[in-house]
């Protein structure tokens, strides 16, 4: 089987831009305040593995997965946007910090307030954009070629994501507690705006108005 190099480059660039490991790094810091390097590594590993499984599922089964349960991609965008907005509110009003303090008195911190599955794995890493991109890219080369191209490329990008999350402690030391608090608030605002954009994009597909650029 001969692989199309132009297709591979296009797929790599598309998924790299959509998943955007650089943008996730400060968000990861904002979602894991005060965690040890060991626990952050565990959260990062879990998030990347879960995101990889989700993207692989959609690469192999595509729209049939959503269609089987009667969910459109537009509806998925709306739901992801709402969930992301709730996370943004937590970041803006320090609810996560208070909840962590309350939970630490009741249970092992290794199991308290773990953001690896939500919102890191989904919708931040394996979000509607990444899922849609995987489905569309595999669809461009139906059969084995699409799968054998997109799945390994996705794995490489997720590996890059994991390595960047592993060095997040160094960034935290450079910024300090005040810097992290400022970034948390700013990113809370950005995540709120991103969540609204997800909802608007989803609603536009149902004919409720044009998508906002």
């Amino acid at each position: 089987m001969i692989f199309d190099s132009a297709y591979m480059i296009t797929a790599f660039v598309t998924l790299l831009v959509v998943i955007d490991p650089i943008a996730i790094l400060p968000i990861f810091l904002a979602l894991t305040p005060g965690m040890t390097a060991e626990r952050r590594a565990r959260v990062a590993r879990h998030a990347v593995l879960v995101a990889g499984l989700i993207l692989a599922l959609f690469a192999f089964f595509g729209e049939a997965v959503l269609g089987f349960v009667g969910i459109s991609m537009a509806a998925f965008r709306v739901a992801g946007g709402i969930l992301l907005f709730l996370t943004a509110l937590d970041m803006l009003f320090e609810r996560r910090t208070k909840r962590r303090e309350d939970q630490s008195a009741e249970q092992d911190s290794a199991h308290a307030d773990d953001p690896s599955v939500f919102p890191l794995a989904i919708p931040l890493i394996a979000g509607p954009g990444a899922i849609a991109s995987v489905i569309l890219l595999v669809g461009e080369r139906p059969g084995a070629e699409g799968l054998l191209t997109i799945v390994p490329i996705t794995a490489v990008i997720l590996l890059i994501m994991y390595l960047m999350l592993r060095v997040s402690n160094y960034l935290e030391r450079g910024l300090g507690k005040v810097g992290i608090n400022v970034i948390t608030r700013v990113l809370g605002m950005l995540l709120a705006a991103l969540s609204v954009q997800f909802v608007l994009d989803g609603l536009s597909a149902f004919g409720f108005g044009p998508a906002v650029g």
Side-chain angles (χ1 to χ4, degrees), residues 143-161:
E145 182 182 357
L147 290 173
L148 292 177
T149 301
I150 301 305
V151 172
I153 286 176
T154 303
V156 169
I157 293 173
L158 291 177
L159 177 60
I160 294 172
M161 170 77 73

Side-chain angles (χ1 to χ4, degrees), residues 19-198:
I19 296 176
D20 201 354
I22 295 176
I24 296 295
L25 180 58
I27 297 175
F28 176 76
L29 280 175
L31 292 171
T32 57
M35 288 188 183
T36 63
E38 180 182 356
R39 189 178 175 199
R40 272 196 174 137
R42 186 164 59 248
V43 169
R45 182 169 58 252
H46 192 192
V48 169
L49 286 175
V50 171
L53 288 174
I54 292 170
L55 293 176
L57 175 67
F58 281 95
F60 279 95
F61 300 104
E63 295 181 351
V65 175
L66 295 180
F68 179 76
V69 292
I71 300 173
S72 66
M73 185 58 66
F76 189 81
R77 281 184 176 274
V78 173
I82 293 172
L83 293 174
L84 197 58
F85 186 76
L86 295 176
T87 298
L89 289 180
D90 281 351
M91 293 171 66
L92 285 168
F93 296 106
E94 291 190 305
R95 295 176 189 171
R96 291 179 59 84
T97 301
K98 184 178 185 302
R99 187 163 63 246
R100 179 175 287 110
E101 291 172 352
D102 294 341
Q103 289 174 332
S104 64
E106 301 176 0
Q107 56 183 314
D108 183 1
S109 61
H111 301 288
D113 204 15
D114 185 351
S116 58
V117 175
F118 172 80
L120 281 173
I122 185 167
L124 290 177
I125 300 176
I131 291 172
S133 298
V134 165
I135 293 173
L136 292 173
L137 288 168
V138 171
E140 288 184 13
R141 296 290 193 279
E145 182 182 357
L147 290 173
L148 292 177
T149 301
I150 301 305
V151 172
I153 286 176
T154 303
V156 169
I157 293 173
L158 291 177
L159 177 60
I160 294 172
M161 170 77 73
Y162 174 69
L163 294 176
M164 294 193 69
L165 296 183
R166 285 300 305 271
V167 302
S168 60
N169 278 355
Y170 298 103
L171 179 60
E172 183 181 40
R173 292 194 192 103
L175 293 172
K177 185 175 181 180
V178 174
I180 293 298
N181 285 336
V182 171
I183 288 179
T184 299
R185 299 301 187 280
V186 172
L187 289 175
M189 287 295 297
L190 294 177
L191 281 176
L194 177 61
S195 68
V196 172
Q197 184 65 59
F198 279 169

